[in-house]
Amino acid sequence: MKLMLMSLLLLSLPLSAADDVQKQIQEVEVALSMLQQEQQNLFQQFQMLQELRRQELLQENSIIVQQNQPPVTGNATLNYDEVQKRERERLARIKDYTARLSEIHERYQEIDRERQVLIGELAALRQDKSPDREEMN
């Protein structure tokens, strides 16, 4: 009777270990999926900010072209101080966009490193679960 219980216990161990490995694989796949989604969101933010920055830089080029003409909004000519204020604001936006682009890029790279670690873990878990490995147990 004891021998029978021991053999049943030993037979159930590999199944339990296989279930644990499968659960770990699923957890790593979920984490990997979440990181990929975050990376995709960051990429979209990056593209939008890059376009906003590009538009601000193009605005600078149009100001240079119009240098010989007085700045006008509607029917009123802007004074020098107002033009300088708008230019400072535009430069501040460009600087802000550049800083945010840099932060997003750094976070994207950080997530990519995390993804590589998870991909390695997933490969190791799948290798541990492979049929050749299970036959050894």
Side-chain angles (χ1 to χ4, degrees):
M1 181 73 169
K2 283 185 178 183
L3 185 58
M4 186 181 212
L5 285 173
M6 290 293 279
S7 61
L8 285 175
L9 181 61
L10 288 174
L11 288 175
S12 68
L13 284 178
L15 293 177
S16 176
D19 289 343
D20 287 345
V21 170
Q22 184 59 37
K23 185 178 177 185
Q24 288 176 326
I25 288 173
Q26 289 173 345
E27 289 172 357
V28 170
E29 286 175 340
V30 167
L32 191 56
S33 176
M34 290 172 64
L35 286 177
Q36 288 171 329
Q37 182 65 41
E38 185 178 353
Q39 238 182 349
Q40 188 175 31
N41 290 339
L42 286 172
F43 183 71
Q44 290 172 345
Q45 288 176 21
F46 186 88
Q47 287 179 315
M48 288 187 295
L49 283 171
Q50 195 173 37
E51 182 59 24
L52 288 170
R53 183 177 178 276
R54 189 179 72 76
Q55 289 300 320
E56 290 291 344
L57 291 171
L58 286 176
Q59 189 176 7
E60 176 184 40
N61 292 336
S62 69
I63 290 172
I64 292 170
V65 169
Q66 298 173 358
Q67 242 177 0
N68 295 331
Q69 302 171 354
V72 176
T73 61
N75 292 332
T77 302
L78 297 175
N79 65 23
Y80 178 80
D81 292 334
E82 182 66 25
V83 171
Q84 291 302 311
K85 178 184 172 195
R86 287 186 180 186
E87 180 62 11
R88 283 191 305 273
E89 290 170 351
R90 187 183 70 76
L91 291 173
R93 283 191 302 273
I94 291 171
K95 186 177 180 180
D96 180 56
Y97 292 149
T98 302
R100 289 169 55 193
L101 285 168
S102 180
E103 290 170 7
I104 289 172
H105 182 263
E106 287 174 24
R107 178 65 184 139
Y108 188 92
Q109 294 295 329
E110 182 181 319
I111 290 172
D112 198 47
R113 288 187 295 273
E114 291 174 23
R115 279 185 58 240
Q116 294 306 317
V117 169
L118 288 178
I119 289 170
E121 285 181 29
L122 191 58
L125 286 170
R126 286 184 175 156
Q127 189 175 21
D128 285 347
K129 189 185 175 215
S130 70
D132 296 337
R133 261 326 237 189
E134 288 180 8
E135 288 176 8
M136 290 181 190
N137 290 334

